[in-house]
């Protein structure tokens, strides 16, 4: 039997950019890698963009998506093309995949299980049925079957389930498999989280084993709409084995991963090992659609004779690079910064470089973004975007009498090592002016004993308008350097160091960031080389440098040791444990700390967390990077006012 070639396309889309998304889709169809493919699979909602949010309510979004399908259906009549879009049917809006072939819309398949946890809120916009559908609707100039079907094309057949369907307990594919599908297509918009691709591969490998089929996953890629980063990484899993994995976290508009399979191998495996499950749920007969009836007559065979190609032309399996968690973080944030830059049509980033770990990490990641962008898209990529590469990152150190000479030296040396612009200014006069103006209103002198926190905060607040002015003059986005640990306990000055257009580090803990810098210095990160400035930085204690130097201010003295803070945060916030369970876990992890001290840390964290929600509501947009986040818009919603605040 001739082999069938399937191409899975990972795509960088932009919400509401219908023409831009259409252009990327058609370029992928025309690419050399998809030319001989029998079927081309695209990601979920790739026509409209996944992150349209409440714009999904606009009829223009549905009608424009339908217009794009009307154009796309005749683009390549001899290939099966599967693309995602929103479709309004009856009284409901559905998240659908359109199956195109022979110049027609063969069917529209709606999603059954809607993602509604973590960063996803699909039930806000879309409807899902509780059972398989089978009806006909007018769409894009055709009378189109709308529902759930098995598609037959020559010697093979397939079905479609969409993203969350593949993660649910009762997968639609389990019903399709009982009725003999060879291939399950699983297009997705599955967000990046460190280590998540390993879980995806486990899910698809195991599902392909117990269902005895080939499972094909493809995904969006890039920072699509501001907060969520998608990683691409198409997966082909057959009979329990990962056969191929596509590139992840690519900076290019699309990537194609293809795979050839023999349907008879799938069916032989079914004969050997497939058994109908007992007990059975209510049996549902899935209707079939014969694609051969839509075949374009100019293509007599209807599929590629790929088994005639020589073995030498076959692509290598598993060519994708395996990243460490710190490398995943590096490339994901770099990709997020790159897409944020080009999609916002700004000229670069301005950064208040303090000589500390957080701002240093931001500078390193912008530099890495520049290098990866040029490597993957060519040296002229920034000039093509109208960006002056030499002015891509501008840094400024704003010192007061409370700053040490060491942190300024670290900031300056790091800027030199990265080859970016560096400025240093003294702001004591501006701080003093602000204090004296308020002293004149209050008719009293402020002092560190009675007014410690206000005197710390005014320094951060004076820095904010100055760095904003510099960013505006550069036409830049201002980066906020806060991390998730600071967001959890409100260890930030509102309208001061919290200011910015984007907070690229707010999705990970301070503990992670310090380990990230140490990993670079150990030469483990293929994207970043060790830096002398980072070596010096890691020999200092994290400090805000807002108190007089004589007080030797340190972050962990103000708060608690960062590993303990991170452990409490994870247990109380992400795992939703009670105080007593949290304490027992801490005693196991940190046996050198006394029970009373650990209890004190828990009480302190709870108080700071509860009273800091209003700050988290006002922080700049951040990337979702870990298994959980605290961004109220995309990850963790919590009341600003409650009995606990």
């Amino acid at each position: 039997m001739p082999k069938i070639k399937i191409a899975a396309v990972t795509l960088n889309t932009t919400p509401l950019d219908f023409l831009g998304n259409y252009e990327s889709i058609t370029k992928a169809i025309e690419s050399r890698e998809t030319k001989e493919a029998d079927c081309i699979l695209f990601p979920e909602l790739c026509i409209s963009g996944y992150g349209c949010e409440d714009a999904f309510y606009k009829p223009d979004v549905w009608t424009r998506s339908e217009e794009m399908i009307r154009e796309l259906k005749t683009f390549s009549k001899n290939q099966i093309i599967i693309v995602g879009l929103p479709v309004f049917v009856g009284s409901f809006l559905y998240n659908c995949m359109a199956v195109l072939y022979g110049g027609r819309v063969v069917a529209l398949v709606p999603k059954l299980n809607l993602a509604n946890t973590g960063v996803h809120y699909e039930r806000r916009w879309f409807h899902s049925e509780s059972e398989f559908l089978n009806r006909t609707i007018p769409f894009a100039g055709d009378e189109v079957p709308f529902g759930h079907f098995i598609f037959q094309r020559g010697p093979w057949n397939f079905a479609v389930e969409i993203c969350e369907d593949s993660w649910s307990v009762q997968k639609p594919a389990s019903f399709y498999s009982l009725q003999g599908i060879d291939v399950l297509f699983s297009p997705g918009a599955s967000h990046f989280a460190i280590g998540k691709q390993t879980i995806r591969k486990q899910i698809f490998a195991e599902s392909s084993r117990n269902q005895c089929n080939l499972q094909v996953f493809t995904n969006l890629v890039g920072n699509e709409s501001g907060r969520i980063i998608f990683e691409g990484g198409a997966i082909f899993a057959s009979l329990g084995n990962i056969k191929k994995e596509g590139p992840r976290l690519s900076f290019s508009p699309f990537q194609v991963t293809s795979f050839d399979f023999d349907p008879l191998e799938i069916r032989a495996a079914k004969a050997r090992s497939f058994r109908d499950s007992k007990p059975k749920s209510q049996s549902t007969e899935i209707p079939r659609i014969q694609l051969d009836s839509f075949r374009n007559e100019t293509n007599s065979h209807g599929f590629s004779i790929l088994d005639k190609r020589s073995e030498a032309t076959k692509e290598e399996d598993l060519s994708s690079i395996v990243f460490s968690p710190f490398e995943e973080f590096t490339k994901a944030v770099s990709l997020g910064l790159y897409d944020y830059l080009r999609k916002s049509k700004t000229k670069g980033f301005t950064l208040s470089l303090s000589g500390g770990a957080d701002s240093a990490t931001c500078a390193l990641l912008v530099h890495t973004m520049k290098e990866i962008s040029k490597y993957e898209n060519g040296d002229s990529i920034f000039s093509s975007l109208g960006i002056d590469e030499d002015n891509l990152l501008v840094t400024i150190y704003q010192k007061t009498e409370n700053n040490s000479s060491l942190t300024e030296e670290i900031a300056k040396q790091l800027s030199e090592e990265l080859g970016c612009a560096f400025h240093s200014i003294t702001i004591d006069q501006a701080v003093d002016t602000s204090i004296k103006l308020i002293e004149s209103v209050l008719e009293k002198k402020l002092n560190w004993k009675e007014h410690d926190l206000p005197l710390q905060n005014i320094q951060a607040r004076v820095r904010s308008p100055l760095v904003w002015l510099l960013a505006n003059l550069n036409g830049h986005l201002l980066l906020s350097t806060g991390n998730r640990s600071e967001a959890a306990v409100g260890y930030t000055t509102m309208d001061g160091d919290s200011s910015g257009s984007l907070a690229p580090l707010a999705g990970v803990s301070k503990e992670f960031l310090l380990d990230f810098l140490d990993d670079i210095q150990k030469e483990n990160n293929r994207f970043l080389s060790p830096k002398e400035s980072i070596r010096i930085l890691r020999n200092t204690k994290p400090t805000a440098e807002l108190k007089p130097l004589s007080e030797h201010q340190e972050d962990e003295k103000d708060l608690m040791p960062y590993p303990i803070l991170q452990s409490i945060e994870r247990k109380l916030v992400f795992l939703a444990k009670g105080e007593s369970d949290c304490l027992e876990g801490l005693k196991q992890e940190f046996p050198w700390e006394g029970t009373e001290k650990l209890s004190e840390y828990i009480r302190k964290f709870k108080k700071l967390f509860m009273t800091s929600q209003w700050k988290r509501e006002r922080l700049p947009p951040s990337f979702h990077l870990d298994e959980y986040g605290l961004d109220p818009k995309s990850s963790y919603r919590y009341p600003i006012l409650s009995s606990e605040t």
Side-chain angles (χ1 to χ4, degrees):
M1 177 180 289
K3 287 190 176 181
I4 307 301
K5 180 176 180 178
I6 295 170
V9 180
T10 58
L11 200 68
N12 192 316
T13 59
T14 300
L16 309 177
D17 184 9
F18 299 96
L19 291 176
N21 296 340
Y22 174 83
E23 182 179 353
S24 294
I25 291 168
T26 54
K27 284 183 177 178
I29 294 171
E30 292 176 323
S31 68
R32 177 181 56 83
E33 296 89 345
T34 60
K35 190 167 293 185
E36 292 183 309
D38 297 281
C39 181
I40 308 172
L41 177 67
F42 288 92
E44 178 182 10
L45 292 173
C46 60
I47 294 286
S48 61
Y50 181 82
C52 296
E53 303 208 29
D54 284 358
F56 277 125
Y57 297 140
K58 295 183 176 181
D60 183 63
V61 172
W62 330 324
T63 56
R64 291 292 304 279
S65 297
E66 185 174 352
E67 288 172 11
M68 296 301 103
I69 291 294
R70 191 186 294 266
E71 295 296 321
L72 195 58
K73 69 179 183 178
T74 59
F75 194 81
S76 183
K77 296 181 180 180
N78 298 323
Q79 294 173 299
I80 302 167
I81 298 171
I82 306 174
V83 291
L85 73 160
V87 179
F88 189 78
V89 178
S91 299
F92 301 108
L93 184 65
Y94 293 87
N95 178 346
C96 295
M97 296 301 295
V99 180
L100 314 178
Y101 180 62
R104 292 178 58 88
V105 183
V106 173
L108 293 165
V109 180
K111 191 172 184 176
L112 283 166
N113 296 279
L114 298 177
N116 214 57
T117 58
V119 300
H120 299 287
Y121 297 97
E122 290 181 12
R123 290 181 189 170
R124 181 178 175 90
W125 308 297
F126 299 112
H127 177 71
S128 64
E129 301 287 350
S130 58
E131 57 188 9
F132 292 111
L133 301 176
N134 181 12
R135 69 181 75 162
T136 300
I137 65 169
F139 185 82
D142 297 320
E143 289 297 313
V144 178
F146 177 85
H148 303 90
F149 311 97
I150 293 175
F151 300 87
Q152 183 77 39
R153 168 90 196 283
W156 66 293
N157 58 60
F158 65 89
V160 178
E161 66 177 18
I162 306 171
C163 202
E164 184 71 11
D165 288 337
S166 299
W167 294 69
S168 65
V169 174
Q170 194 167 12
K171 301 174 174 61
S174 61
F175 294 91
Y176 300 143
S177 296
L178 290 173
Q179 296 177 40
I181 64 166
D182 302 310
V183 181
L184 175 73
F185 290 116
S186 181
S190 184
H191 68 274
F192 169 82
I194 296 169
K196 189 177 179 183
Q197 183 74 348
T198 300
I199 299 172
R200 290 191 193 96
K201 289 192 288 186
Q202 291 171 348
I203 289 174
F204 288 111
E206 178 57 22
S207 295
S208 72
R209 184 199 64 79
N210 61 42
Q211 295 176 17
C212 284
N213 57 24
L214 170 67
Q215 301 207 355
V216 185
F217 164 78
T218 198
N219 198 9
L220 295 175
V221 66
N223 176 9
E224 196 217 32
S225 56
R227 283 178 164 87
I228 300 174
I229 297 169
F230 298 101
E231 64 187 296
I235 296 170
F236 289 83
S238 180
L239 307 175
N241 298 302
I242 300 296
K243 294 294 187 180
K244 202 163 191 181
E245 181 181 358
R248 296 172 57 211
L249 299 166
S250 170
F251 281 51
S252 58
F254 64 87
Q255 289 281 349
V256 180
T257 305
S258 61
F259 181 73
D260 309 338
F261 84 102
D262 184 346
L264 290 183
E265 292 180 6
I266 299 291
R267 294 170 189 180
K270 288 181 185 288
R272 282 194 304 271
S273 57
F274 198 71
R275 300 292 181 268
D276 197 353
S277 58
K278 303 290 190 300
K280 294 179 64 174
S281 58
Q282 185 175 355
S283 178
T284 301
E285 184 67 27
I286 307 296
R288 292 175 179 263
I289 294 178
Q290 293 288 341
L291 294 184
D292 291 325
S293 63
F294 298 94
R295 182 184 299 173
N296 189 321
E297 296 303 323
T298 61
N299 181 1
S300 59
H301 55 73
F303 48 82
S304 304
I305 312 298
L306 298 177
D307 57 338
K308 292 184 178 180
R309 296 184 301 169
S310 67
E311 292 294 316
T313 64
K314 291 186 177 179
E315 296 169 304
E316 292 291 328
D317 289 341
L318 298 175
S319 58
S320 178
I321 295 173
V322 177
F323 298 134
S324 72
F326 296 118
E327 289 173 325
E328 283 191 321
F329 167 78
T330 304
K331 198 169 188 195
V333 177
S334 297
L335 175 57
L337 290 169
Y338 172 70
D339 275 349
Y340 212 100
L341 184 70
R342 68 183 184 86
K343 292 181 181 181
S344 66
K345 297 179 174 60
T346 44
K347 302 299 183 182
F349 298 101
T350 293
L351 172 66
S352 189
L353 199 55
S354 68
D358 297 338
S359 62
T361 299
C362 287
L364 289 167
L365 292 170
V366 173
H367 175 77
T368 306
M369 177 271 288
K370 180 182 75 171
E371 297 302 314
I372 297 176
S373 301
K374 292 167 63 178
Y375 178 79
E376 294 196 13
N377 295 317
D379 289 340
S380 62
I381 181 60
F382 290 106
S383 61
S384 70
L385 295 172
I387 295 172
D388 178 4
E389 187 182 323
D390 294 332
N391 200 48
L392 182 63
L393 174 63
V394 173
T395 66
I396 185 169
Y397 182 89
Q398 301 183 76
K399 57 187 173 185
T400 71
E401 60 185 10
N402 298 325
N403 290 112
S404 67
S405 59
L406 180 60
T407 53
E408 182 177 10
E409 290 170 12
I410 292 170
K412 182 179 180 181
Q413 183 165 352
L414 177 60
S415 295
E416 290 173 351
E417 289 173 321
L418 299 181
C420 63
F422 174 76
H423 307 288
S424 179
I425 59 174
T426 300
I427 62 167
D428 285 315
Q429 185 176 352
V431 173
D432 290 342
T433 299
S434 300
I435 292 173
K436 287 175 180 176
L437 286 170
I438 294 301
E439 286 177 337
S440 68
V441 171
L442 300 177
E443 297 183 345
K444 68 176 182 179
K445 196 82 170 172
L446 303 184
N447 63 80
W448 283 100
K449 184 177 181 180
E450 296 178 273
H451 313 110
D452 177 278
L453 192 58
L455 289 175
Q456 287 192 62
N457 286 339
I458 188 59
Q459 297 164 77
R461 291 198 174 103
V462 165
R463 290 182 173 118
S464 178
L466 297 175
V467 72
W468 266 120
L469 176 59
L470 183 61
N472 290 162
L473 291 170
N474 289 324
H476 280 188
L477 296 168
L478 176 61
L479 293 181
S480 176
T481 62
N483 58 67
R484 191 176 67 206
S485 301
E486 293 176 350
V489 294
Y491 197 62
T492 184
T493 301
M494 295 313 300
D495 305 313
D497 55 320
S498 64
S499 299
S501 316
L502 176 67
L505 307 184
V508 289
S509 68
K510 182 76 168 195
E511 181 186 29
F512 178 91
L513 292 172
L514 296 176
D515 290 342
F516 164 77
L517 294 177
D518 291 341
D519 191 65
I520 293 171
Q521 295 306 104
K522 294 173 184 175
E523 302 186 40
N524 292 332
N525 193 318
R526 75 195 75 193
F527 301 111
L528 283 161
S529 59
K531 304 285 186 289
E532 176 62 16
S533 57
I534 301 302
R535 184 193 67 78
I536 300 171
L537 185 158
R538 289 300 291 125
N539 285 322
T540 65
K541 295 285 188 180
T543 174
E545 289 197 324
L546 294 174
K547 291 185 177 184
L549 291 172
S550 60
E551 296 197 25
H552 304 289
Q553 183 181 25
E554 294 178 12
D555 293 354
E556 290 180 299
K557 288 180 181 178
D558 287 351
L559 298 170
M560 64 191 74
Y562 278 121
I564 295 177
L565 192 158
Q566 168 57 20
S567 183
I568 295 174
E569 178 194 295
R570 188 174 190 277
K571 289 177 174 60
L572 294 184
V573 180
F574 178 60
L575 299 179
K577 290 189 174 185
E579 286 186 55
S580 58
D581 289 337
C582 179
L583 178 59
E584 289 306 310
L586 292 179
K587 287 161 65 175
Q588 297 294 319
E589 290 178 68
F590 308 99
W592 56 88
E593 298 279 3
T595 299
E596 184 52 42
K597 192 65 175 176
L598 292 173
S599 297
E600 180 187 328
Y601 286 148
I602 292 173
R603 289 192 296 271
K604 184 173 187 177
F605 178 90
K606 280 195 67 178
K607 179 181 178 181
L608 292 172
F609 184 85
M610 308 305 178
T611 57
S612 297
Q613 181 63 23
W614 72 276
K615 287 189 175 184
R616 291 189 288 274
E617 297 280 350
R618 294 186 56 209
L619 292 175
S622 62
F623 299 147
H624 185 89
L625 298 169
D626 208 339
E627 57 187 348
Y628 70 101
L630 298 180
D631 188 331
K633 180 69 164 58
S634 64
S635 299
Y636 191 80
R637 297 188 175 189
Y638 196 83
I640 296 175
L641 298 176
S642 70
S643 63
E644 295 180 316
T645 57

